[in-house]
Amino acid sequence: MYLKSIRLVNFRNYQRLDFAPSYGLNVLFGKNGQGKSNLLEAIYVTAATKSPRTARDQEMIRRGEACAFLEAVLDREERGDIEISLAVARDKSKDVKINANKGRCIDLIGEINAVCFIPEDLKMIKGGPGERRIVLNREISQISRVHCHHLQQYNRILRNRNILIKRKGAFSEETDVWGEQLVTLGSRIIKRRKQYLEEISILAAERHRLLTERDDRFRITYVNRVLERVGKDEELSETDISLAYGDLIRQEAKREDIYKTTLVGPHRDDVRIFLGNRDVHIYGSQGEQRTAVLAFKLAAMDMVKRKVREWPVLLLDDVLSELDDQRKEYLIREISKEGIQTFITTAEEKFIPFIASTTAAIYRVEEGNIFNVA
């Protein structure tokens, strides 16, 4: 798939932009604060309806304006052109249109597949479990709109159950009813996360080996109390997970009554990355942490190709600044492969020689304007 064009109106520092990128590698360079990251964010928003940088939609609207408008035209191999438009206002929910037909945000998931690496993604290592769950959910949703729908339903039920626990305690019949619904949806989320992480762990290990030119026994571990109860290595059905989940939530009723919140479920999950027996979150150097996240992101790109049968649009924000020459060369070689449309930003022109030997399109970004350099 390829992004043919994108139009921005009052998005971040872009008053108006009409941009038709190359189908291959697009290099965006310029000083900090000129709009490079904002363009990558806009492309991602057209794919996911949410920013990878902020939870507050209002922050994407140009200062002093009431709303922002994004429009993208995508070329899909089997479906032809798809036109997507998204309006973000300060005082109401987003308006979404797909091929001029009004839709919901969830309808947009999967129309454009985009995988991004931004500085904020290092929170996957340096942040807490909640930030790792956000990254995980973002990547699974790229290939499963159903997963996104289940998450929305699960979070709604979780909020209602927590309200009931606060009002009536963990032993009321109403709390039990909401708990049963939580178990049903939560089991589906757990099973899908387990399957995804098992598959992407293998792909990321290979990406990590190629990035570092050594085998550090890279692996991703899924931390989930329900799976710890039944055994992670088994081929588990949704029923197996559901039974263990139900037992655990009943077992925790006394503690939930004390803490007035739901203590069991995928909203408590974590993801850990290891090099051998070393937990990268605790013992990894900054370079090892950055390389681990990059390997995960490249593997997420591989997962989209495997499941959707098209390469996603790849968005790499300031990825070169802390990589050694060997890893820069591997990365540029990989993303220059035919079929992968990539947008990569840098504030330093010295990195352009690593890219200049390719057929890259090079753009200078300055004060919300984009100029074609080569």
Side-chain angles (χ1 to χ4, degrees):
M1 68 189 71
Y2 304 96
L3 180 70
K4 294 180 72 173
S5 65
I6 186 165
R7 171 176 293 172
L8 305 178
V9 179
N10 295 329
F11 183 89
R12 296 283 191 180
N13 70 324
Y14 288 98
Q15 184 174 16
R16 183 181 179 91
L17 174 73
D18 288 285
F19 180 50
S22 162
Y23 271 30
L25 178 57
N26 298 271
V27 181
L28 304 162
F29 78 92
K31 296 178 181 179
N32 290 327
Q34 301 304 299
K36 303 184 302 296
S37 299
N38 294 345
L39 177 60
L40 268 59
E41 178 185 27
I43 296 170
Y44 189 82
V45 170
T46 63
T49 76
K50 294 180 180 180
S51 168
R53 299 164 68 190
T54 178
R56 292 173 52 84
D57 290 342
Q58 293 86 345
E59 292 180 13
M60 296 186 287
I61 302 172
R62 183 179 170 87
R63 187 175 299 175
E65 302 294 340
C67 65
F69 178 77
L70 306 88
E71 182 180 272
V73 178
L74 190 77
D75 180 3
R76 294 293 298 259
E77 289 181 13
E78 297 181 359
R79 298 169 56 189
D81 285 1
I82 299 171
E83 184 176 314
I84 288 167
S85 64
L86 190 67
V88 182
R90 294 188 186 278
D91 57 353
K92 63 178 182 179
S93 59
K94 301 184 190 79
D95 287 330
V96 173
K97 288 185 179 179
I98 304 171
N99 292 331
N101 297 312
K102 191 172 178 60
R104 303 166 299 166
C105 285
I106 197 168
D107 297 328
L108 194 55
I109 304 298
E111 294 293 336
I112 300 177
N113 295 110
V115 172
C116 68
F117 178 95
I118 58 176
E120 288 84 352
D121 282 326
L122 292 175
K123 292 177 182 177
M124 185 178 179
I125 298 288
K126 298 178 178 180
E131 287 155 325
R132 286 187 280 279
R133 289 193 298 271
I134 288 172
V135 175
L136 177 61
N137 289 332
R138 188 193 301 163
E139 302 309 340
I140 299 177
S141 294
Q142 287 285 324
I143 57 176
S144 175
R145 186 180 295 171
V146 171
H147 179 74
C148 188
H149 182 60
H150 286 164
L151 282 170
Q152 290 179 346
Q153 289 181 303
Y154 180 88
N155 288 329
R156 177 181 59 83
I157 292 167
L158 178 65
R159 285 193 297 270
N160 288 331
R161 186 173 189 270
N162 284 340
I163 289 169
L164 272 173
I165 291 175
K166 287 181 174 70
R167 289 178 180 173
K168 298 186 177 183
F171 293 96
S172 72
E173 289 185 10
E174 289 177 81
T175 305
D176 286 343
V177 171
W178 285 106
E180 289 171 5
Q181 295 180 53
L182 202 70
V183 166
T184 299
L185 282 165
S187 298
R188 294 170 185 168
I189 293 168
I190 292 168
K191 183 174 175 61
R192 189 169 289 110
R193 283 179 177 173
K194 177 179 182 291
Q195 291 172 333
Y196 183 87
L197 287 170
E198 286 174 346
E199 195 166 352
I200 200 172
S201 182
I202 296 169
L203 295 172
E206 178 61 12
R207 284 292 187 179
H208 189 270
R209 186 185 67 78
L210 292 170
L211 273 166
T212 61
E213 293 189 347
R214 63 176 186 266
D215 186 2
D216 287 326
R217 294 184 293 146
F218 179 103
R219 61 188 172 89
I220 301 172
T221 299
Y222 181 24
V223 182
N224 175 275
R225 289 184 63 195
V226 176
L227 295 180
E228 289 170 0
R229 190 180 184 92
V230 292
K232 296 180 185 179
D233 297 329
E234 300 175 23
E235 277 295 325
L236 298 173
S237 68
E238 193 177 302
T239 301
D240 294 328
I241 296 170
S242 182
L243 289 172
Y245 192 171
D247 288 344
L248 192 55
I249 209 167
R250 285 187 290 273
Q251 179 183 309
E252 289 285 20
K254 288 183 180 179
R255 292 180 67 233
E256 289 184 341
D257 208 46
I258 294 169
Y259 292 105
K260 303 301 180 187
T261 192
T262 302
L263 297 175
V264 180
H267 63 288
R268 297 272 177 162
D269 285 353
D270 198 0
V271 178
R272 310 295 290 186
I273 296 177
F274 289 84
L275 297 178
N277 294 321
R278 282 194 304 129
D279 188 329
V280 177
H281 307 256
I282 301 171
Y283 301 109
S285 68
Q286 186 163 319
E288 286 176 324
Q289 291 176 342
R290 192 177 186 87
T291 301
V293 176
L294 181 58
F296 175 85
K297 288 292 183 171
L298 292 174
M301 177 185 73
D302 295 334
M303 284 287 281
V304 173
K305 173 64 172 175
R306 178 177 289 187
K307 303 298 183 182
V308 180
R309 298 187 299 278
E310 290 184 69
W311 288 111
V313 176
L314 184 61
L315 310 170
L316 302 174
D317 191 14
D318 194 29
V319 71
L320 298 177
S321 60
E322 295 184 36
L323 295 179
D324 59 29
D325 289 353
Q326 168 199 315
R327 296 175 195 191
K328 287 190 189 82
E329 289 169 1
Y330 167 77
L331 179 61
I332 297 303
R333 184 171 65 250
E334 287 300 298
I335 63 179
S336 299
K337 286 182 177 178
E338 185 177 351
I340 305 176
Q341 186 184 39
T342 303
F343 297 80
I344 185 167
T345 72
T346 179
E348 301 181 63
E349 292 187 47
K350 69 180 182 180
F351 291 135
I352 294 179
F354 283 99
I355 308 166
S357 60
T358 72
T359 56
I362 302 175
Y363 304 91
R364 178 168 54 86
V365 182
E366 185 176 341
E367 295 183 347
N369 294 288
I370 298 179
F371 304 94
N372 194 338
V373 175

